[in-house]
Amino acid sequence: MKLTQEEQDILDGKEGQTKAKIMQTLVEFGELFGADKLVPVTTSGHLVTSFGIGLLKPVYRIMDEIIEAGLKTPFPFTVDPRPIDYENVKCGVLDKLIFSKIMYSKQKHYEEQLSKIGLKNKNAFTCTCYLEEVGNTPKYGDILSWAESSAVVFANSVLGARCNRNSGMLDIFGALIGKVPNFGLLTDEGRKANWIVEVKTTSLPEAQILGSAIGMKVMEDVPYVKGLDRYLGTELNDEVISYLKDFGAATASNGAVGLYHIENLTPEAKKFNEKIINKDAKVYVIDDAELERVYKSYPVMWKKTDSKPSLCFIGCPHLTFYQLNKWTEKIEENLKVSGRRKIKIRTIMTSSPDVVEKFKQTENYIKLKNFGVNLSSICPLMYTNNPIAGSKPIITNSNKLRTYSKSRYYKDDDIVKIICGVK
Ligand code: F3S
């Protein structure tokens, strides 16, 4: 990799040993993937590591070293959701003990460390940092040092920013040095589609299942999706943004997609049309039967497959303001059908602190609360990712949560019936 004199000086330790080690990590990472140079990061970082898991001792040591060296990110950064929220997600004594003493014993300490190196503010904990309410919204062409897969795929695809699927710590290293290695999704060549996906369904597909089907087929490749604009239109409004957020998270978690193009809708597909498709691109046709096949293929991981669900999570990735309102309407309609005043299954909806604050100003917030739904800003995956919570029969409409936990996936229209007790 060709370095500038300034970069070489940092690597040689002229700006201190800590910076030299960070630079060395970035350079070796880049060389591993055939990067030709480092390029400047042009906007705020977003960190995937938001949880103070006691076992991650090297992370806290590295953070201490960064703080002692006086390093700070040039832009304030956001970070993934917290794993716990005792106020809105009540848990039993044993769960609380496991969370506070074993799983996330370093949470407070880690958050203090994050603050010292450039964390934006107390509301910065969300995976949907790119939403306008949160404000870490990259522009077209921005170069990022992010790692959260659902945020990376959204920023690349819907905003036209450029970011690789980095790992935790590499995101903070890139943000601190202000440079990332130039390869993969940062290059014009790496952003070309090597799959054409033809959507031939008879109605708008469930975002989470379509994303899952595409992710499992193309894995880390770039798909160019045709036929979806028939249902989504050609403008990125709130409804479409919400759809693409969930679709992208499913492509990134059920596969390893970091960028997709939607014909006539996403910025690079609009700008370059089919010129952005590689000549030898493969074709994947998705019709109703294919979606149903994928849906039916999800295993039920519960101990007893016929258990009654004890908890429902909606909002992975975090819900948009539009979605919070839509879910309130959906629940209201379904409670009318079931004749109940409150939901039947304990349900937690998750959204970013900034979106929750905005939603709290609305009548729908009161309604949702009265229906018995809890609103939180945690990461459901971090919450379920332990033997006690993980052994409970949890349901979700998130294909990401389904993939990484034992939670059982249901489509939106089915899950709302279950939680509202509609027969
Ligand atoms: Fe966000 Fe946690 Fe889901 S980071 S995408 S809520 S797994």
Side-chain angles (χ1 to χ4, degrees):
M1 200 182 335
K2 223 173 150 30
L3 299 185
T4 63
Q5 191 56 51
E6 192 195 349
E7 291 159 358
Q8 188 63 49
D9 286 348
I10 295 175
L11 188 64
D12 294 342
K14 293 198 176 139
E15 295 191 22
Q17 277 315 299
T18 306
K19 244 180 149 176
K21 283 193 273 183
I22 294 175
M23 182 59 103
Q24 188 187 345
T25 311
L26 289 170
V27 169
E28 286 182 8
F29 171 55
E31 282 178 344
L32 205 61
F33 286 92
D36 55 344
K37 58 181 177 181
L38 292 170
V39 285
V41 172
T42 56
T43 189
S44 299
H46 178 80
L47 310 195
V48 70
T49 321
S50 58
F51 36 85
I53 294 182
L55 287 173
L56 289 178
K57 287 184 186 133
V59 170
Y60 313 117
R61 276 204 304 274
I62 294 169
M63 294 292 279
D64 275 341
E65 189 176 335
I66 291 169
I67 294 163
E68 270 160 37
L71 302 182
K72 256 189 136 174
T73 57
F75 306 104
F77 60 83
T78 49
V79 60
D80 263 3
R82 293 186 171 99
I84 35 183
D85 169 9
Y86 295 129
E87 197 184 323
N88 299 299
V89 187
K90 301 255 182 301
C91 36
V93 183
L94 195 56
D95 297 66
K96 208 167 172 177
L97 202 70
I98 288 182
F99 283 143
S100 57
K101 297 279 181 237
I102 303 170
M103 290 284 295
Y104 303 117
S105 56
K106 287 282 186 187
Q107 191 64 31
K108 192 166 170 282
H109 174 65
Y110 182 56
E111 288 189 22
E112 284 164 4
Q113 289 183 319
L114 289 175
S115 295
K116 286 181 186 155
I117 65 163
L119 178 69
K120 188 180 164 208
N121 56 30
K122 66 173 177 41
N123 277 7
F125 291 83
T126 176
C127 45
T128 54
C129 61
Y130 45 78
L131 294 178
E132 64 168 341
E133 291 89 349
V134 187
N136 187 357
T137 318
K139 297 184 302 300
Y140 186 91
D142 265 336
I143 306 286
L144 314 178
S145 182
W146 294 8
E148 161 55 42
S149 66
S150 67
V152 167
V153 74
F154 187 94
N156 272 322
S157 314
V158 183
L159 303 176
R162 295 189 172 208
C163 186
N164 277 315
R165 280 179 57 109
N166 303 301
S167 66
M169 295 314 281
L170 274 170
D171 50 9
I172 184 68
F173 288 174
L176 280 166
I177 293 280
K179 299 270 171 93
V180 280
N182 188 46
F183 69 91
L185 297 175
L186 264 54
T187 66
D188 291 345
E189 206 43 44
R191 298 180 73 84
K192 287 199 171 158
N194 25 28
W195 279 89
I196 297 169
V197 178
E198 293 177 1
V199 176
K200 295 190 170 168
T201 53
T202 52
S203 58
L204 175 68
E206 194 90 3
Q208 303 262 4
I209 304 178
L210 180 65
S212 160
I214 294 175
M216 287 197 271
K217 176 65 82 178
V218 313
M219 293 314 290
E220 78 278 21
D221 285 348
V222 179
Y224 184 95
V225 184
K226 293 183 174 187
L228 203 51
D229 54 322
R230 270 189 299 144
Y231 303 116
L232 292 181
T234 56
E235 296 305 322
L236 292 167
N237 57 34
D238 291 345
E239 184 178 1
V240 173
I241 282 173
S242 302
Y243 184 97
L244 295 180
K245 164 185 75 78
D246 291 341
F247 163 79
T251 66
S253 57
N254 286 221
V257 174
L259 165 68
Y260 58 81
H261 303 294
I262 310 283
E263 190 170 56
N264 297 324
L265 181 59
T266 54
E268 279 153 286
K270 270 187 162 178
K271 189 169 173 188
F272 302 109
N273 305 312
E274 295 200 5
K275 286 198 271 312
I276 206 164
I277 306 174
N278 277 328
K279 283 203 175 61
D280 56 352
K282 290 170 264 190
V283 177
Y284 177 33
V285 178
I286 297 186
D287 55 14
D288 296 339
E290 174 63 357
L291 281 187
E292 202 52 22
R293 181 194 67 75
V294 170
Y295 177 52
K296 291 268 163 60
S297 73
Y298 302 149
V300 180
M301 309 281 283
W302 294 350
K303 252 191 196 148
K304 283 191 190 161
T305 50
D306 57 350
S307 297
K308 200 171 150 282
S310 64
L311 181 59
C312 170
F313 271 115
I314 293 173
C316 165
H318 278 173
L319 296 169
T320 62
F321 183 70
Y322 171 87
Q323 287 176 310
L324 281 171
N325 285 301
K326 278 286 154 199
W327 275 106
T328 311
E329 288 167 20
K330 256 178 180 300
I331 291 173
E332 186 170 30
E333 281 163 22
N334 279 272
L335 285 177
K336 265 188 202 142
V337 175
S338 69
R340 300 175 63 94
R341 289 177 58 201
K342 282 188 182 288
I343 50 165
K344 202 177 158 196
I345 312 279
R346 185 177 166 225
T347 298
I348 294 156
M349 290 197 180
T350 49
S351 181
S352 68
D354 288 310
V355 170
V356 168
E357 272 180 19
K358 181 174 168 185
F359 186 66
K360 279 188 173 172
Q361 312 303 317
T362 69
E363 280 179 17
N364 274 347
Y365 170 67
I366 312 285
K367 272 190 189 174
L368 201 62
K369 246 182 109 180
N370 289 340
F371 295 153
V373 173
N374 277 36
L375 202 51
S376 171
S377 294
I378 60 162
C379 167
L381 175 59
M382 288 298 122
Y383 177 84
T384 51
N385 209 0
N386 70 79
I388 291 203
S391 66
K392 290 177 185 154
I394 298 173
I395 56 173
T396 182
N397 70 335
S398 163
N399 227 325
K400 179 170 180 179
L401 187 58
R402 172 195 75 78
T403 306
Y404 295 144
S405 74
K406 290 185 179 162
S407 306
R408 183 171 183 174
Y409 173 82
Y410 283 98
K411 297 175 189 171
D412 287 359
D413 286 346
D414 294 335
I415 211 164
V416 74
K417 286 195 181 95
I418 296 171
I419 62 174
C420 292
V422 176
K423 297 258 168 20

